[in-house]
Amino acid sequence: MKKTTILSVLPLTIILLLMGCDDFLDETPETFQTPQNFFQTEAQINEAITGIYNTNRGLMNGAHWRFGENRSDNTSFQFNPADRGGINNEEVDLFLMLSANPNLSGYWNASYSGISRANFVLENIDGVPFNSETVKEVRRGEILFLRSWFYFNLVQLFGDVPFVTSAGDSPDEILSDEFLERVPVDQVYTNILTDIQEAIDVLPNQNNTESGRVTLGAALMLKAKMHMALQEFQLARTLLEQMQGLGYSLQTDYASIFSPDNKNNSESVFEIQYSFALGQASNFVSRFVPFNSGSDILGDSGPAGSRAGQNQPTQSLIDLYDADDDRFAHNISFYDDGTTFEPWMSKFNYGFEDQGLQDVNFPMFRYADALLMLAECYNETGGNDPLPLLLQVRSRSMPDPSLSVEESTDLEQTIANERRRELAFENHRWFDLLRTGKAVEVMTAHGIAQKAQKPTVPAEAYTNIRTLLGIPLGQVEEFGFRQNEGW
């Protein structure tokens, strides 16, 4: 079976490399099992669910930031004339991708890998005895959350997508209409809204003994994001208001949110877990330092690779911060070797445990995001003042959080700007632009600015701002999927 297909992870390979991370994610199978004999115990179900979490971790550490940040006006890349092997990555930022770009197939395959794993466990969990039926339902809720998360990203990025709910255990089933048909966007949303509500109904508020598992707050937040993407702000508002009663609170210091000494803190709704001690360290910062920085930033972990300099902050993002905003000092640093002066994304730089390896979690959902989402909902629906929520987030990082006259007259843009400052490099910006309908306008202006600032930007860049990604060429050729317009 070709790796380019949506079926690249079938049941035999769903009995996976069950890598772990932190607390419940440190289990490893001792022997290889087959689908016929694997799921016999609660522990084996837990191992399989670990594999789904692990797939999400790989997606977040890999392709997701390219489409959540690098495709937006938040970041670009440092052009390296001596290394042109990374041009496929550069084309994501420049809006010059073809449907054969491996970043497209990589995202598609990783997402459907997670979906396939989720489907396989869902098909088998009922037949496995658990010590507690409540725990079994919680595990089902975790799986439904993760599958819904994969589909939510797919439908935002690609539009109509195959909606597969069966693991597929025979060639006839694999080639059935369920696998080969692109389901309309509205039906995908109907399906995942149903699934995430089922997760909400069974997930606990907190997991006090097993950090890193999905909880009720994460499911409420994901469903709210779905409703906001559909412009259903009143429905999203109700869910976000429910989150306010779950015990979350902002950290008093912005930098402490992401510190390896403060993992899964009161602001954390759902974090991607990493653990250097368990052999699952994070390594993303080493990609984001300037490629010409040698060992100046990475120290003994250096030198920086020739294909570093990714996710480089844009000038428009730099200009958005006030000089005394703590988020500016923490999120963005500047490398100056006397010859070049390069900004770089330092948000997750807390030092290295080993060669390019860190013990830093990645925030997928956090409470500041929820508060700013609720502020947006209040602004859209009326009846409640969005400013207290906005200022609650803003006052943590700014000596004077008060709004200027200009900010007060356009709260929609003010909230959008605050989200951009607060959540920079956390993979929200492109999806915010899609939700607000500003993607084409903002990215066209961004392209003009990039060309004025960087002589290496080709003339054809940013001239075809497509809000949907192309269906990977391998999928179109093998299964006959209808391609998205303009690809």
Side-chain angles (χ1 to χ4, degrees):
M1 194 66 63
K2 296 181 180 179
K3 290 184 178 179
T4 55
T5 71
I6 62 171
L7 314 168
S8 58
V9 180
L10 297 175
L12 283 175
T13 51
I14 295 170
I15 313 306
L16 33 93
L17 287 175
L18 293 168
M19 297 170 61
C21 55
D22 202 23
D23 293 342
F24 80 98
L25 298 179
D26 61 358
E27 302 172 4
T28 305
E30 296 182 358
T31 59
F32 181 81
Q33 303 283 347
T34 68
Q36 289 72 30
N37 68 14
F38 181 73
F39 291 120
Q40 298 181 17
T41 68
E42 181 177 343
Q44 290 167 334
I45 290 288
N46 277 327
E47 289 176 348
I49 295 173
T50 296
I52 308 170
Y53 279 100
N54 185 56
T55 301
N56 184 52
R57 182 175 61 179
L59 185 64
M60 295 299 104
N61 191 32
H64 194 66
W65 65 265
R66 294 197 185 280
F67 297 118
E69 290 288 341
N70 206 206
R71 193 167 169 80
S72 81
D73 57 336
N74 269 3
T75 71
S76 184
F77 60 92
Q78 183 187 10
F79 182 79
N80 185 354
D83 184 353
R84 307 313 305 134
I87 192 169
N88 287 324
N89 299 329
E90 296 172 2
E91 288 171 348
V92 175
D93 175 75
L94 298 171
F95 284 79
L96 292 176
M97 281 192 299
L98 300 176
S99 61
N101 190 295
N103 287 292
L104 292 175
S105 56
Y107 197 98
W108 180 280
N109 289 342
S111 298
Y112 277 105
S113 169
I115 289 165
S116 184
R117 292 177 177 190
N119 290 343
F120 193 64
V121 183
L122 287 171
E123 285 188 356
N124 286 274
I125 193 171
D126 285 336
V128 177
F130 272 62
N131 291 328
S132 165
E133 286 301 309
T134 299
V135 172
K136 177 184 281 192
E137 288 307 299
V138 169
R139 297 294 173 260
R140 191 193 313 275
E142 292 176 58
I143 302 166
L144 288 170
F145 171 92
L146 290 165
R147 188 175 72 177
S148 297
W149 168 247
F150 294 135
Y151 273 126
F152 180 50
N153 291 321
L154 284 169
V155 76
Q156 290 179 98
L157 292 173
F158 293 96
D160 302 348
V161 292
F163 193 86
V164 186
T165 57
S166 170
D169 56 8
S170 72
D172 289 341
E173 185 175 355
I174 289 166
L175 297 177
S176 68
D177 288 344
E178 181 186 24
F179 286 94
L180 301 183
E181 183 178 311
R182 287 182 66 187
V183 175
V185 166
D186 58 350
Q187 185 58 54
V188 175
Y189 273 108
T190 297
N191 293 343
I192 60 178
L193 283 167
T194 299
D195 283 350
I196 198 62
Q197 183 58 52
E198 186 175 340
I200 288 170
D201 292 341
V202 297
L203 286 171
N205 181 18
Q206 294 182 0
N207 280 309
N208 294 323
T209 59
E210 297 180 313
S211 298
R213 287 193 183 275
V214 173
T215 60
L216 172 62
L220 290 170
M221 197 163 172
L222 178 55
K223 192 177 185 188
K225 285 180 178 289
M226 294 176 187
H227 283 304
M228 290 180 74
L230 294 169
Q231 306 297 296
E232 296 170 347
F233 294 101
Q234 187 63 52
L235 294 173
R237 168 180 173 165
T238 300
L239 296 164
L240 294 166
E241 288 175 337
Q242 185 177 343
M243 282 190 69
Q244 289 182 297
L246 296 183
Y248 294 108
S249 63
L250 298 180
Q251 296 290 286
T252 57
D253 175 61
Y254 186 77
S256 71
I257 301 169
F258 318 102
S259 170
D261 297 325
N262 196 29
K263 293 181 178 182
N264 305 302
N265 55 65
S266 65
E267 187 168 337
S268 172
V269 179
F270 183 46
E271 292 184 9
I272 307 298
Q273 304 291 304
Y274 290 91
S275 172
F276 178 79
L278 293 175
Q280 293 118 26
S282 48
N283 65 356
F284 32 83
V285 170
S286 59
R287 304 178 206 166
F288 303 147
V289 300
F291 71 80
N292 57 324
S293 61
S295 299
D296 292 346
I297 299 172
L298 297 178
D300 292 339
S301 296
S306 63
R307 214 161 290 171
Q310 301 293 303
N311 235 15
Q312 184 180 49
T314 60
Q315 190 62 48
S316 68
L317 178 61
I318 293 169
D319 292 343
L320 192 64
Y321 287 101
D322 288 348
D324 58 359
D325 190 329
D326 290 344
R327 296 170 296 190
F328 181 34
H330 181 75
N331 289 346
I332 300 173
S333 295
F334 297 88
Y335 175 71
D336 185 358
D337 65 356
T339 303
T340 60
F341 183 78
E342 297 288 348
W344 64 281
M345 188 273 278
S346 56
K347 188 168 198 169
F348 305 107
N349 182 30
Y350 288 85
F352 296 87
E353 304 290 334
D354 202 346
Q355 293 287 321
L357 302 178
Q358 293 186 297
D359 192 27
V360 179
N361 283 358
F362 188 89
M364 199 169 97
F365 293 165
R366 59 184 176 94
Y367 191 50
D369 182 10
L371 292 176
L372 291 172
M373 288 165 61
L374 185 55
E376 186 175 337
C377 289
Y378 283 168
N379 193 54
E380 291 286 343
T381 60
N384 287 76
D385 187 357
L387 280 183
L389 296 169
L390 177 69
L391 294 175
Q392 185 179 347
V393 174
R394 187 167 174 159
S395 61
R396 169 173 60 189
S397 303
M398 299 179 65
D400 180 10
S402 59
L403 272 61
S404 67
V405 174
E406 182 181 0
E407 288 178 314
S408 299
T409 59
D410 188 354
L411 283 182
E412 179 182 349
Q413 187 60 50
T414 298
I415 294 169
N417 287 344
E418 203 61 36
R419 288 185 59 81
R420 196 177 174 198
R421 295 185 191 97
E422 177 72 22
L423 303 171
F425 317 122
E426 296 179 43
N427 304 332
H428 298 285
R429 178 59 176 171
W430 175 251
F431 299 102
D432 284 353
L433 291 175
L434 289 178
R435 183 184 72 255
T436 57
K438 299 287 185 66
V440 173
E441 173 191 343
V442 167
M443 295 310 297
T444 298
H446 169 71
I448 293 171
Q450 288 291 94
K451 289 176 182 178
Q453 295 162 10
K454 296 183 175 183
T456 57
V457 176
E460 64 271 21
Y462 305 107
T463 57
N464 186 13
I465 309 297
R466 295 166 289 190
T467 56
L468 289 181
L469 299 178
I471 304 300
L473 180 62
Q475 295 291 306
V476 174
E477 291 181 337
E478 186 157 357
F479 296 113
F481 287 128
R482 170 181 50 82
Q483 183 58 277
N484 284 330
E485 185 177 353
W487 291 87

